[in-house]
């Protein structure tokens, strides 16, 4: 009988980092250039960040593309002191890579992800699947379950959605999201926007804003037209930010939760 390798347990460094090895094959590219090709990546959780990042053994990184940073930042990435600029195809990306000060992570290099920070490597893959924004957390679950609950959504006293065939999305650390068929949503009360976000668990989302203005935040409704396979059940369905609308489920009004998204859901600009 085999036993699970204890090497997979999360470890803590004196600097406050959490880390564990991953068995996924991870590649990172800038344009058409593969900068990282690693079969021994390490997941790292920094104390000030809610999501993990990858660090890679130096021998699995194109170190020939790295240059000592000309203007290294301070106060970023839990005490990291060594930063690198990345030069690819004549383009210089400042502070695109760094090392952690932890002894446990000596010999490893981490990289910025373009979809998260606005600079860095722009395409990442786990095995043959492209991933976005940040690595998936192996200690986090995302489940999309069809339901027959009765869900109603109101904005400023107006019922904008009424459905008995929602898909409930359960995601560790976040409130339940209620994804509703378009036929059950008054989409005529909203207008499509150019806003778009990426999620490593769900894919790329498109958004709609409330037409009537007021204090309703913009981009209050979203949908994943082509979600990742794990949450295929939400394809094309519409969801609302629980933090900014009134949702009633089976006759019980839900409290508006406070989440990391609350601070970003300010009222729409008057300009």
């Amino acid at each position: 009988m085999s036993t699970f390798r204890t090497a997979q347990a999360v470890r803590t460094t004196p600097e406050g980092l959490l880390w564990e090895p991953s068995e996924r094959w991870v590649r990172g590219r800038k344009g058409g250039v593969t900068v990282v090709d690693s079969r021994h990546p390490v997941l790292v959780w920094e104390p000030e960040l809610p999501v993990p990042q990858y660090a890679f053994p130096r021998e699995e990184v194109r170190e020939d593309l790295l240059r000592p940073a000309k203007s290294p930042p301070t106060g970023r990435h839990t005490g990291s002191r060594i930063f690198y600029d990345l030069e690819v195809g004549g383009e210089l990306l400042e502070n695109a890579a760094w090392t952690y000060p932890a002894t446990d992570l000596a010999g490893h290099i981490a990289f910025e992800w373009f979809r998260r920070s606005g600079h860095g490597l722009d395409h990442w893959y786990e095995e043959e699947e492209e991933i976005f924004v940040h690595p998936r957390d192996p200690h986090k679950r995302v489940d999309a379950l069809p339901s027959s609950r009765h869900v109603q959504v109101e904005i400023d006293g107006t019922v904008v959605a009424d459905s008995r065939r929602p898909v409930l999305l359960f995601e560790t650390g976040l409130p339940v999201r209620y994804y509703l068929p378009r036929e059950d949503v008054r989409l005529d009360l909203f207008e499509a926007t150019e806003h778009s976000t990426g999620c490593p668990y769900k894919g790329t989302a498109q958004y709609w804003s409330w037409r009537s203005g007021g204090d309703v935040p913009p981009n209050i409704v979203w949908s994943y037209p082509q979600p990742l396979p794990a949450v295929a059940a939400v394809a094309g369905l519409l969801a609302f930010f629980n933090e900014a609308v009134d949702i009633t489920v089976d006759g019980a009004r839900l409290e508006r939760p406070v989440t990391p998204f609350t601070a970003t859901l300010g009222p729409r600009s008057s300009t």
Side-chain angles (χ1 to χ4, degrees):
M1 181 177 67
S2 62
T3 58
F4 185 71
R5 287 177 296 168
T6 57
Q8 291 298 98
V10 178
R11 308 172 190 181
T12 305
T13 75
E15 296 80 7
L17 297 166
L18 300 177
W19 70 277
E20 70 175 39
S22 171
E23 295 184 348
R24 302 189 181 197
W25 175 26
V26 178
R27 284 155 292 162
R29 296 174 180 166
K30 174 59 181 175
V33 178
T34 299
V35 180
V36 175
D37 189 336
S38 177
R39 297 175 188 268
H40 306 90
V42 172
L43 283 164
V44 182
W45 289 262
E46 299 182 26
E48 67 273 17
L49 293 177
V51 298
Q53 301 183 84
Y54 274 128
F56 308 97
R58 286 181 175 271
E59 58 269 23
E60 297 179 341
V61 170
R62 286 282 306 274
E63 285 196 85
D64 59 301
L65 302 177
L66 299 179
R67 313 283 182 262
K70 295 181 179 179
S71 303
T74 58
R76 282 172 53 185
H77 300 303
T78 311
S80 298
R81 301 180 185 87
I82 301 177
F83 283 81
Y84 298 95
D85 297 338
L86 175 67
E87 186 172 358
V88 179
E91 180 182 1
L92 187 68
L93 305 176
E94 295 186 356
N95 302 309
W98 70 92
T99 62
Y100 288 107
T103 302
D104 288 355
L105 299 174
H108 288 72
I109 299 176
F111 288 81
E112 296 286 1
W113 291 39
F114 181 82
R115 290 287 294 271
R116 177 171 176 81
S117 65
H119 71 289
L121 305 191
D122 45 22
H123 293 284
W124 288 93
Y125 300 86
E126 291 178 344
E127 302 300 331
E128 296 302 326
E129 183 172 302
E130 186 169 9
I131 57 175
F132 308 93
V133 186
H134 60 79
R136 298 177 179 130
D137 190 328
H139 305 286
K140 183 173 184 177
R141 284 188 64 94
V142 180
D143 297 298
L145 304 179
S147 176
S148 58
R149 290 176 181 260
H150 183 198
V151 178
Q152 292 179 306
V153 182
E154 295 181 31
I155 296 179
D156 285 347
T158 299
V159 176
V160 299
D162 190 324
S163 181
R164 294 181 181 272
R165 45 183 184 156
V167 171
L168 276 56
L169 191 135
F170 299 88
E171 184 170 354
T172 304
L174 290 174
V176 178
R177 301 299 191 188
Y178 299 89
Y179 284 78
L180 312 175
R182 294 188 180 216
E183 303 81 40
D184 296 343
V185 177
R186 289 283 311 278
L187 201 53
D188 59 300
L189 299 177
F190 301 87
E191 57 187 0
T193 74
E194 296 183 357
H195 186 57
S196 176
T197 59
C199 172
Y201 307 101
K202 299 184 287 293
T204 300
Q206 57 185 191
Y207 288 79
W208 290 260
S209 289
W210 178 239
R211 288 184 183 274
S212 298
D215 292 331
V216 180
N219 302 306
I220 196 71
V221 184
W222 75 87
S223 178
Y224 290 95
Q226 295 180 308
L228 296 177
V231 292
V234 305
L237 305 186
L238 300 167
F240 295 78
F241 276 107
N242 311 40
E243 298 87 339
V245 302
D246 294 312
I247 297 180
T248 300
V249 179
D250 291 337
R253 177 68 62 88
L254 305 183
E255 292 187 10
R256 294 188 182 185
V258 177
T259 74
F261 294 101
T262 301
T264 66
L265 291 170
R268 67 176 66 223
S269 172
S270 59
T271 58

